[in-house]
């Protein structure tokens, strides 16, 4: 099993550009989520989904969009990148009583 | 506000020594508490899960304790190895999707 796969690993954007961070899982988990990790802070929830076609906002959703058209995929879109969105982004999934399974992150720099 | 605090912020020990990491939380209601290990450049990986009725759980050289009355948990690492160098994150769950992440303790094990 590949688990949770995130692409790209690194990305540099200019202010105002848009992009999509990809996340795919092969464990048939119904729950998927996006977090950002900043130095000295715990991971913060951006958006989450409890199943295909269902998404909801987390703690820090502004500037980000998500969609869940399939169980496997949960892309995160940055609409107009800002320097404050410089961070490491993690996608995670879980199902049943399993722990959160994380991808290896996307390191995003916005200049 | 639901919070998870961890101490120390960072810790340096010599290979073969033991150490204990602390987690205090104010999350309510409480579903479970997990400790995750995060290697540099990777996503967090679950080490242990504690539910309300459990006070000790081991996973190899890792032993987690939980005192639900005082809302404290600890992670004890025995006979440390160089591969234990990582960040250790305490995560308290109210129930999906509400996971509250601590900021982590950065452990460095030196030869």
């Amino acid at each position: 099993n590949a688990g949770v796969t995130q692409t790209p690993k690194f990305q540099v954007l200019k202010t105002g550009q848009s992009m999509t961070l990809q996340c795919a899982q092969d464990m048939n988990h119904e729950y998927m989520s996006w977090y950002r990790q900043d130095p000295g802070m715990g991971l913060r929830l951006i958006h989450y989904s409890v199943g295909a076609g269902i998404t909801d906002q987390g703690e820090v959703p502004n500037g980000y969009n998500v969609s869940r058209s399939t169980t496997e995929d949960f892309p995160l879109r940055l609409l107009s990148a800002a320097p404050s969105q410089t961070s490491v982004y993690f996608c995670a999934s879980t199902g049943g009583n399993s722990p959160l399974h994380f991808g290896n992150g996307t390191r995003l720099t916005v200049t | 506000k639901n919070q998870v605090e961890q101490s120390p912020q960072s810790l340096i020990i010599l290979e073969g020594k033991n150490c204990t990491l602390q987690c205090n939380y104010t999350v309510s209601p409480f579903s479970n508490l997990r400790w995750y290990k995060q290697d540099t450049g990777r996503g967090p990986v679950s080490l242990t899960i504690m539910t309300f009725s459990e006070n000790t759980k081991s996973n190899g050289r890792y032993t987690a304790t939980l005192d639900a009355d005082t809302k404290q948990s600890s992670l004890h690492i025995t006979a440390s190895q160089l591969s234990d160098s990582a960040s250790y994150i305490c995560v308290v769950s109210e129930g999906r999707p509400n996971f509250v992440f601590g900021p982590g303790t950065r452990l460095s094990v030196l030869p």
Side-chain angles (χ1 to χ4, degrees):
Chain A
N1 275 349
V4 178
T5 303
Q6 287 185 241
T7 57
K9 285 187 70 66
F10 301 95
Q11 183 71 49
V12 178
L13 291 178
K14 294 186 187 306
T15 297
Q17 288 184 316
S18 63
M19 77 159 295
T20 299
L21 279 63
Q22 301 292 343
C23 175
Q25 54 95 5
D26 61 1
M27 296 170 283
N28 202 33
H29 286 165
E30 73 275 13
Y31 178 87
M32 296 185 75
S33 52
W34 277 100
Y35 296 88
R36 59 178 289 172
Q37 186 174 42
D38 299 296
M41 303 179 70
L43 281 91
R44 292 183 291 167
L45 181 65
I46 304 171
H47 285 285
Y48 67 95
S49 169
V50 297
I54 306 169
T55 64
D56 208 343
Q57 295 182 352
E59 180 186 356
V60 288
N62 292 342
Y64 308 96
N65 270 359
V66 292
S67 59
R68 184 97 178 267
S69 56
T70 67
T71 299
E72 295 77 20
D73 299 298
F74 191 45
L76 177 72
R77 281 181 288 277
L78 277 71
L79 308 172
S80 177
S84 60
Q85 293 179 304
T86 293
S87 188
V88 182
Y89 292 85
F90 287 98
C91 179
S93 72
T94 183
N97 291 323
S98 75
L100 285 167
H101 292 259
F102 288 87
N104 284 324
T106 294
R107 185 174 293 275
L108 175 68
T109 302
V110 183
T111 62
Chain B
K1 178 183 177 184
N2 285 337
Q3 278 190 306
V4 175
E5 297 176 341
Q6 293 187 244
S7 62
Q9 187 173 19
S10 62
L11 183 61
I12 301 174
I13 61 174
L14 293 177
E15 187 179 11
K17 297 297 187 183
N18 303 335
C19 67
T20 300
L21 314 180
Q22 300 290 345
C23 171
N24 296 336
Y25 63 92
T26 58
V27 177
S28 182
F30 174 90
S31 175
N32 61 64
L33 182 150
R34 287 186 187 269
W35 284 92
Y36 285 80
K37 179 186 179 189
Q38 185 176 21
D39 293 314
T40 301
R42 311 278 290 188
V45 175
S46 177
L47 291 173
T48 65
I49 177 173
M50 309 284 292
T51 58
F52 187 85
S53 58
E54 296 173 304
N55 15 55
T56 303
K57 184 169 284 188
S58 292
N59 177 5
R61 295 179 297 102
Y62 300 103
T63 300
T65 66
L66 175 65
D67 185 333
D69 292 331
T70 62
K71 299 188 176 181
Q72 296 179 324
S73 176
S74 66
L75 181 69
H76 184 75
I77 304 175
T78 304
S80 61
Q81 300 176 358
L82 298 179
S83 59
D84 292 330
S85 293
S87 288
Y88 291 84
I89 301 171
C90 176
V91 183
V92 182
S93 173
E94 302 175 328
R96 238 180 285 165
N98 296 320
F99 300 96
V100 185
F101 290 79
T105 291
R106 178 72 204 173
L107 175 66
S108 298
V109 180
L110 302 182

